[in-house]
Amino acid sequence: LPEIVKSYYPWINVIPEHIPDNAITERVAVAYATDSCPDILYDTYSRIAPAVSGGLAVDLTDVYEANKDVFIAEPQDGVKDGKHYYLPVYADAPYCVQVNMDLAEELGVADLLPAEEEPWSYEEFLTLCRAVKAADPNIYPISLFGGSQSSDGWDFSMFLGSGARFLNDDKTASIVNQPGNREKIIEVLELYQTLAEEKLIPDGAAAMTAGDCGAMFRAGQLLMCAGAYNGIPGLYHQMEDGNCIEMNAVGRLQPSPNGEMVTTASYGTGGLAVYDSNGKAEAAKLVVDALMKDQAWRQAVISTAGVSPVTVDVIAEYETPELTQMMAFATEVFNTYGDSSWGILDPFWTDTRSVFFPLKQDLFTGNITPEEFVEQWEPLMTDAIANYNAG
């Protein structure tokens, strides 16, 4: 990226810093609270949204106007009072279960997995998990996590797939404990509870992070990883770099209560925002301009990250026909069943994570029941939203 920017603006030096997934939510929240933002943040819009609503993000309308012909449609994320405070680079991929098919064959459980485009039920999912444990007690079927306040989209995708809603119409209060939502959320939590009680997930899930789970999957200790389709092309690149065992990595739909196609969570888009905490906003805007102009960089993002394009000059293409076909299916699922209206794009969402994850930890350790989870969750979530809006 630094070299690409220099090809357009030779006097600009870009120093990238990668923030690990389990640290980024806290880092960004602290940066917003203390006005110590980076010059540029390249991230999902869910973490950029508070800066747009809070007046921390710099107006990028002139950058958008200079590059608007490259977009498939005018971006909607990051627009406030008709101005663009964020520019997308890619659109989301749906959540899924990533599967090591070589390990499934080795354990003799491959026939219990659904076909690529087939939905499956909780019962079918549990049948597979139990078969994995019976075949090799040293291999965990899947791992869940409660130790990092990020990557909650997988959980909320499960809740959405059960038919639940989380917020009232004006998004000022939680409705997770209301009839019509309560029982659906409890059904998902009971699935989690079963996985923990039967030791179908590793002990210590309460303290594990999404990164920990990914590392176990890449090391061949898990059959499945709770993730998204966009992570699968990345796995193949990590294999090339020696950071993942060789495997035939594929995606399967998240299980649903009755084995039907259901809504999947979306976090909308990922892209770029500029801040002026360090007085370098004008240079940072030129960096965004360079990346909007550079087709090769945006093509590389789409092809390596497994996400969908938002610009007209790139296409999703991958190393093998099988991977290209799978990602095309993922895009179809996203376009048909993806939903980003459930709260993830609202500026208060980061604050709600601070009450969700402690409850998740208590569930995994057996300190609360699924019923107690939702009873406690509703007022805590409502208070978190109210406190954010008050602040």
Side-chain angles (χ1 to χ4, degrees):
L1 187 148
E3 290 76 13
I4 290 170
V5 173
K6 276 188 174 295
S7 71
Y8 293 88
Y9 302 107
W11 61 91
I12 295 179
N13 295 314
V14 179
I15 304 172
E17 178 190 3
H18 175 256
I19 305 174
D21 185 68
N22 62 317
I24 190 168
T25 297
E26 182 179 0
R27 284 279 299 274
V28 171
V30 170
Y32 291 162
T34 59
D35 194 16
S36 57
C37 301
D39 302 315
I40 304 168
L41 181 61
Y42 174 42
D43 197 5
T44 63
Y45 182 66
S46 62
R47 276 186 287 265
I48 291 172
V52 174
S53 64
L56 289 171
V58 171
D59 183 4
L60 298 176
T61 304
D62 55 343
V63 180
Y64 167 70
E65 290 293 336
N67 298 280
K68 64 181 180 182
D69 291 345
V70 80
F71 289 96
I72 295 171
E74 182 171 358
Q76 300 302 307
D77 291 346
V79 177
K80 181 182 178 183
D81 299 328
K83 297 180 178 180
H84 295 265
Y85 291 88
Y86 155 89
L87 291 181
V89 174
Y90 62 85
D92 189 14
Y95 288 91
C96 72
V97 177
Q98 300 168 2
V99 183
N100 180 342
M101 283 299 292
D102 291 336
L103 184 57
E105 296 283 355
E106 180 183 326
L107 296 172
V109 299
D111 61 332
L112 297 177
L113 281 159
E116 182 176 279
E117 300 183 5
E118 288 183 2
W120 54 330
S121 68
Y122 290 172
E123 192 54 44
E124 291 170 320
F125 173 71
L126 282 173
T127 297
L128 169 65
C129 290
R130 289 163 178 153
V132 171
K133 183 179 180 182
D136 188 343
N138 296 314
I139 299 294
Y140 285 101
I142 195 168
S143 182
L144 301 179
F145 54 90
S148 56
Q149 290 188 23
S150 63
S151 303
D152 56 349
W154 199 88
D155 301 301
F156 281 88
S157 192
M158 290 290 286
F159 296 145
L160 283 169
S162 73
R165 293 177 59 230
F166 321 117
L167 302 168
N168 61 3
D169 290 340
D170 60 4
K171 296 184 177 179
T172 58
S174 171
I175 55 173
V176 295
N177 198 36
Q178 303 304 305
N181 298 311
R182 171 186 168 87
E183 62 274 15
K184 294 171 182 176
I185 293 171
I186 286 174
E187 188 173 18
V188 177
L189 297 176
E190 287 177 339
L191 174 65
Y192 286 9
Q193 187 179 50
T194 299
L195 292 170
E197 289 177 347
E198 296 187 19
K199 299 190 180 300
L200 301 172
I201 58 175
D203 291 334
M208 291 183 69
T209 68
D212 295 332
C213 299
M216 290 186 70
F217 183 64
R218 293 191 299 274
Q221 297 171 302
L222 304 175
L223 174 67
M224 297 176 284
C225 187
Y229 278 97
N230 63 310
I232 297 172
L235 285 170
Y236 285 97
H237 289 283
Q238 291 184 70
M239 292 178 209
E240 293 174 2
D241 295 338
N243 296 320
C244 177
I245 65 166
E246 291 293 325
M247 69 170 81
N248 176 18
V250 302
R252 292 296 182 263
L253 294 165
Q254 280 186 311
S256 61
N258 299 311
E260 301 172 346
M261 292 295 294
V262 293
T263 300
T264 180
S266 161
Y267 55 73
T269 60
L272 298 147
V274 167
Y275 307 92
D276 201 26
S277 297
N278 303 309
K280 299 178 182 177
E282 292 307 311
K285 287 173 65 174
L286 292 180
V287 172
V288 176
D289 179 69
L291 298 179
M292 290 298 103
K293 286 180 165 53
D294 198 87
Q295 184 273 344
W297 181 77
R298 287 182 284 101
Q299 178 65 63
V301 167
I302 299 302
S303 297
T304 59
V307 287
S308 299
V310 296
T311 55
V312 298
D313 58 346
V314 300
I315 58 174
E317 56 183 4
Y318 302 95
E319 289 84 349
T320 66
E322 293 79 13
L323 192 56
T324 298
Q325 177 182 327
M326 183 184 68
M327 296 309 298
F329 171 66
T331 299
E332 180 183 338
V333 171
F334 172 77
N335 292 337
T336 306
Y337 299 99
D339 180 5
S340 61
S341 68
W342 46 277
I344 188 69
L345 302 185
D346 292 286
F348 56 75
W349 194 258
T350 294
D351 290 38
T352 67
R353 290 184 170 121
S354 66
V355 300
F356 174 69
F357 277 92
L359 291 172
K360 196 176 172 186
Q361 292 164 9
D362 283 341
L363 181 77
F364 287 148
T365 54
N367 291 334
I368 59 174
T369 65
E371 291 78 10
E372 291 169 333
F373 186 115
V374 292
E375 289 164 6
Q376 295 177 33
W377 188 18
E378 181 171 299
L380 289 170
M381 182 187 255
T382 296
D383 286 348
I385 295 170
N387 289 338
Y388 177 86
N389 290 334

